[in-house]
Amino acid sequence: MELKKINESIYYSESVRETDRPVLGYVLGRNFSIMIDCGNSKSHFDAFIKCLDEQDLPRPKYALITHWHWDHTFGMHAFDGETIVSSATNEILQRLKGWEWDEESVLRRLETKEEIDFAYNCMKKEYDTFDDIMISTGSIMFEDSLTLDLGDTTCQILKVGGPHEEDSCVVYLKETGILFAGDAHSGNYYHGEGKIDPIKMRAYVEFLKDLSFTTYVPGHDAPMSKDQIIQVLSRFCNV
């Protein structure tokens, strides 16, 4: 893993398709720093922190979680700061925390469609054993939005919903015009076999049009400009 620099204070790690490791973000602030999402395992999280340490970047005080999916949250237990999640995300994490995470239990949830094949196959590659999976809930909750003042950067986490999940959030860095979007624009894999609801996509695209930003950082792809992402997503707005 290596950190990619957007500017002098904002970095990210690239996603890994094979094990479904998503992009993780980092914002260096004058007062404190934050990270966006905690990754899909302790190993993923630790690799990101090692990159920060190697570049003498301060470890984050807060981790902002974009939505409940395993690849963005299963590294939360390794974080020794405070995790910020929407109340909707936390409700789902609380339910997952009560589940059994041995392989037999995961296979049963595949049969009941509570779990999906892609996630199961990626977990098998990411973890030596399913018994290593640990679920944590958030330490700070919000309903629709929460704003942090990093000293020289205003950071907002906004619950936007969208076609991927009802609890999807984006992280908006106002002064620099950068938007970490998690998976907000993606299809619905847990309830819709990856299909995109055009009505939800249209609402999300309108949200993006109204927001002042220049760089869009998705959870599983390379950064794009505002014009690029709106052009791409607009194709999915027609019924």
Side-chain angles (χ1 to χ4, degrees):
M1 179 188 289
E2 64 175 310
L3 287 183
K4 300 290 185 178
K5 180 188 286 189
I6 296 178
N7 61 31
E8 291 303 316
S9 62
I10 301 174
Y11 301 77
Y12 70 96
S13 64
E14 293 179 309
S15 61
V16 178
R17 170 73 178 176
E18 183 182 11
T19 53
D20 202 26
R21 287 185 170 188
V23 165
L24 301 181
Y26 175 84
V27 184
L28 173 66
R30 188 172 67 240
N31 295 338
F32 57 86
S33 300
I34 64 162
M35 68 181 293
I36 295 115
D37 285 326
C38 281
N40 68 358
S41 66
K42 183 179 185 299
S43 176
H44 186 197
F45 175 85
D46 287 346
F48 186 76
I49 295 300
K50 182 181 178 183
C51 287
L52 298 179
D53 290 346
E54 287 174 348
Q55 297 202 28
D56 293 322
L57 292 167
R59 292 193 178 188
K61 180 178 181 179
Y62 300 107
L64 282 58
I65 305 300
T66 60
H67 62 297
W68 69 268
H69 285 182
W70 79 280
D71 49 319
H72 298 258
T73 61
F74 279 19
M76 284 172 61
H77 70 276
F79 184 54
D80 59 6
E82 295 191 275
T83 50
I84 297 176
V85 303
S86 75
S87 57
T89 296
N90 208 56
E91 183 177 342
I92 299 171
L93 290 176
Q94 191 68 54
R95 186 172 81 244
L96 298 185
K97 191 174 181 179
W99 286 357
E100 298 294 331
W101 284 97
D102 56 277
E103 187 167 6
E104 183 180 346
S105 297
V106 177
L107 287 170
R108 280 199 300 268
R109 290 196 291 272
L110 276 177
E111 294 177 2
T112 59
K113 300 191 183 304
E114 294 171 284
E115 193 54 83
I116 58 175
D117 287 326
F118 179 69
Y120 168 74
N121 291 328
C122 289
M123 287 178 195
K124 279 187 71 73
K125 295 173 184 175
E126 178 68 28
Y127 287 89
D128 293 331
T129 169
F130 280 83
D131 297 306
D132 290 338
I133 292 174
M134 296 178 64
I135 315 295
S136 289
T137 52
S139 49
I140 297 174
M141 270 67 74
F142 67 92
E143 292 300 320
D144 298 313
S145 66
L146 183 144
T147 301
L148 297 172
D149 180 2
L150 279 62
D152 45 10
T153 301
T154 304
C155 172
Q156 293 179 300
I157 182 167
L158 308 167
K159 182 169 170 283
V160 296
H164 188 60
E165 282 289 351
E166 293 297 324
D167 70 321
S168 286
C169 298
V170 298
V171 177
Y172 177 47
L173 305 172
K174 184 177 180 181
E175 288 81 3
T176 54
I178 294 170
L179 188 70
F180 281 89
D183 298 347
H185 70 257
S186 299
N188 186 334
Y189 290 91
Y190 275 86
H191 311 292
E193 298 179 339
K195 295 177 182 178
I196 292 175
D197 184 325
I199 296 173
K200 291 181 179 180
M201 180 62 87
R202 193 178 304 127
Y204 182 65
V205 169
E206 289 304 314
F207 163 77
L208 294 180
K209 287 180 178 178
D210 291 340
L211 195 67
S212 177
F213 70 95
T214 56
T215 304
Y216 184 93
V217 187
H220 293 272
D221 213 332
M224 290 177 264
S225 70
K226 180 175 182 176
D227 288 344
Q228 284 175 320
I229 188 61
I230 289 176
Q231 183 179 16
V232 169
L233 298 186
S234 293
R235 302 170 191 165
F236 300 96
C237 290
N238 297 322
V239 177

